[in-house]
Amino acid sequence: GAAPAYVTADDSPEALAHAREQCRWFGGMVGNHVADLVARYGEHSAAVPDALTDYIKARQGYDYAHHGRSGNPDTQFVPDEIVDRFCVIGPVEKHIEKLNALRELGVDQFAVYDMHDAQEAVIDAYGREVIPVVNSR
């Protein structure tokens, strides 16, 4: 799996809102792939969950010049639930919890996208606190 990760000091609404804004670009990127799948397989196919087809309806005028960038102006259409579903945000414990849940589902490799305003802090937190715990299982 690969997803943006943003480690927050706590799970206050302010901290999570900031983390979501920093990672919302990824939902825009996922939206492009979902739109391609919908175009290929139709809207209510087994290939694409409805939770995903619903949010891309709001997607207008996506500009690939902003693709994969934090602060992408074309990602306002991406709702918080999608950011929460596809990104790993929150305090260290939440990262450990989500990675362990993914491991239970059979994910054995995980790559972190670190394109946001806290790159070094996230890498440090993963190196010090997340990876050792997840690897010790």
Side-chain angles (χ1 to χ4, degrees):
Y6 197 101
V7 178
T8 57
D10 55 38
D11 56 5
S12 67
E14 298 75 20
L16 294 177
H18 180 77
R20 286 185 187 111
E21 286 317 310
Q22 289 294 310
C23 296
R24 203 171 298 276
W25 62 269
F26 187 69
M29 221 154 78
V30 170
N32 281 312
H33 302 306
V34 172
D36 292 344
L37 291 170
V38 169
R40 187 170 308 153
Y41 299 109
E43 211 169 280
H44 298 289
S45 77
V48 192
D50 285 350
L52 301 186
T53 57
D54 290 347
Y55 94 94
I56 61 161
K57 290 182 183 142
R59 173 184 177 279
Q60 297 292 329
Y62 192 93
D63 179 355
Y64 270 93
H66 302 133
H67 195 63
R69 296 203 191 155
S70 172
N72 181 339
D74 297 329
T75 55
Q76 271 75 48
F77 71 90
V78 181
D80 288 352
E81 308 84 80
I82 292 291
V83 179
D84 292 351
R85 181 172 177 170
F86 288 107
C87 303
V88 191
I89 64 171
V92 163
E93 313 81 77
K94 292 285 182 209
H95 291 253
I96 292 168
E97 204 176 288
K98 192 158 190 174
L99 295 184
N100 282 336
L102 288 166
R103 175 174 272 178
E104 300 293 312
L105 295 171
V107 177
D108 59 4
Q109 280 194 324
F110 197 82
V112 167
Y113 289 127
D114 199 30
M115 288 116 88
H116 48 57
D117 68 2
Q119 294 176 339
E120 286 186 24
V122 168
I123 295 299
D124 289 348
Y126 263 69
R128 263 199 327 269
E129 300 173 76
V130 179
I131 293 168
V133 175
V134 173
N135 278 350
S136 70
R137 287 189 75 207

